[in-house]
Amino acid sequence: MAPLPQRDGIDPVRLRLPADPDGAWPTVRDHLVHRFAGTVGAGRVDAMLRQGRFVGTEGPLTADEPYTAGRCVWFHRDFAPEVPVPFEVGIVHRDERLVIADKPHFLATTPRGSHITETALARLRRELGLPALQPAHRLDRLTAGLVLFVVRPGDRGAYQTLFRDRRVRKEYEAVAPYDPGVALPVTVRSRIEKERGVPAARVVPGEPNSESRIELLERRGGLGRYRLLPATGRTHQLRVHMNGVGLPILNDPLYPAVLPEGPEDFSRPLQLLARTLEFTDPFTGERRFFGSRRRLAQWPRSIHS
């Protein structure tokens, strides 16, 4: 167990000191400077040592402490300022095993990249007082809706297996242009690849690795409200498939065209919502069904078709 508590809902970093056969690092400080001076500077490493921020099982480390390979060290990174996402995380259900969260648009599910403390996981750990909370799956940052979190780490694998084995029925809702020339319902199958560092995924030749069913629920004016039923879970799958049939989801900054990065416009959320989750609970055998309480803001409440 880490000797440091979470900070802002984020676990400390655990560092295991590597082997040093050539004796390059007489002290722990020597190794820490070697490892981190290029990113934060030697002065920052020294300041963190003086402040007692590098901690072992026996307590804070000192700069002159002899280096011992295999020893574990914990510390908290300095978090860069993040723009607060001005929407709350809803709670649809909570019991001793599960928290079903209703995530807003723009909020990442888990810490990643520049989104650390402004994530659903960090917020829920803080707000619910559940430091061991973990997600069983992920929902894209720009997509709103249901995310299943597990209260006890030992239960996580069983719920993750449900998603891995496609035993969770997921239903999404989207608002996109209405086009009478697009024949619906349709099942789309394609091979989607997403390269690290490239914002948009792409469809490439080859054996399909993704499948989505697209249905029109209703039409109002030039817009349609669509039910999307993914059979697989590739990155950006529904956004790629909707764009591929000629119905790009409203306010999508990547499909059909990658828009320049800039300040987040919270008034223009991607019109995609994870509406329902349905599965058989692996512990109780009970059939579970959960529905989002959110609505897509750009679906007109009342216009004449």
Side-chain angles (χ1 to χ4, degrees), residues 237-249:
Q237 174 178 317
L238 296 175
R239 298 162 67 181
V240 170
H241 284 169
M242 285 290 285
N243 183 61
V245 300
L247 302 171
I249 298 172

Side-chain angles (χ1 to χ4, degrees), residues 197-236:
V198 178
R202 60 195 180 99
V203 176
V204 298
E207 184 73 20
N209 61 3
S210 64
E211 178 181 321
S212 308
R213 180 175 173 83
I214 302 172
E215 303 173 357
L216 177 66
L217 291 173
E218 55 180 319
R219 170 204 168 192
R220 291 183 183 172
L223 296 178
R225 187 167 68 92
Y226 299 89
R227 176 189 290 126
L228 310 179
L229 302 170
T232 55
R234 310 299 298 185
T235 299
H236 297 178

Side-chain angles (χ1 to χ4, degrees), residues 85-92 100-107 120 123-124 127 139 141-147 171-175 225 266 269-276 290-299 301:
V85 176
F87 311 111
E88 294 183 355
V89 182
I91 302 296
V92 171
I100 308 297
D102 212 354
K103 186 184 81 67
H105 297 283
F106 301 105
L107 191 69
R123 279 200 195 177
L124 290 171
E127 294 170 4
L139 190 62
R141 186 178 71 87
L142 297 184
T143 304
L146 300 183
V147 184
E171 181 177 313
Y172 289 70
E173 183 179 309
V175 177
R225 187 167 68 92
F266 294 119
L270 175 73
Q271 295 299 281
L272 180 61
L273 174 66
R275 171 64 68 188
T276 68
F290 304 103
S292 172
R293 296 168 186 155
R294 299 187 182 275
R295 63 178 298 274
L296 293 173
Q298 289 189 244
W299 179 244
R301 289 181 181 272

Side-chain angles (χ1 to χ4, degrees), residues 95-130:
D95 60 33
E96 70 278 3
R97 292 187 187 275
L98 299 178
V99 171
I100 308 297
D102 212 354
K103 186 184 81 67
H105 297 283
F106 301 105
L107 191 69
T109 301
T110 56
R112 186 179 184 185
S114 60
H115 305 283
I116 306 297
T117 58
E118 277 296 300
T119 58
L121 178 62
R123 279 200 195 177
L124 290 171
R125 282 175 169 178
R126 298 192 303 261
E127 294 170 4
L128 301 181
L130 295 173

Side-chain angles (χ1 to χ4, degrees), residues 26-90:
T27 67
V28 172
R29 175 195 178 274
D30 293 321
H31 175 73
L32 295 175
V33 168
H34 169 81
R35 191 177 189 109
F36 297 118
T39 54
V40 301
R44 185 60 189 151
V45 172
D46 285 334
M48 291 177 67
L49 281 165
R50 288 195 301 270
Q51 295 161 5
R53 291 182 53 185
F54 291 104
V55 176
T57 53
E58 302 84 14
L61 277 64
T62 60
D64 59 355
E65 197 153 338
Y67 185 87
T68 304
R71 186 179 185 182
C72 289
V73 176
W74 289 264
F75 66 97
H76 281 290
R77 296 184 186 275
D78 292 317
F79 304 139
E82 298 179 43
V83 177
V85 176
F87 311 111
E88 294 183 355
V89 182

Side-chain angles (χ1 to χ4, degrees), residues 143-181:
T143 304
L146 300 183
V147 184
L148 187 155
F149 290 87
V150 178
V151 174
R152 300 184 294 210
D155 294 343
R156 189 183 187 197
Y159 290 101
Q160 285 182 314
T161 298
L162 294 181
F163 288 91
R164 183 198 67 193
D165 294 347
R166 304 179 189 176
R167 289 187 281 146
V168 179
R169 185 183 186 276
K170 296 179 286 185
E171 181 177 313
Y172 289 70
E173 183 179 309
V175 177
Y178 170 74
D179 184 347

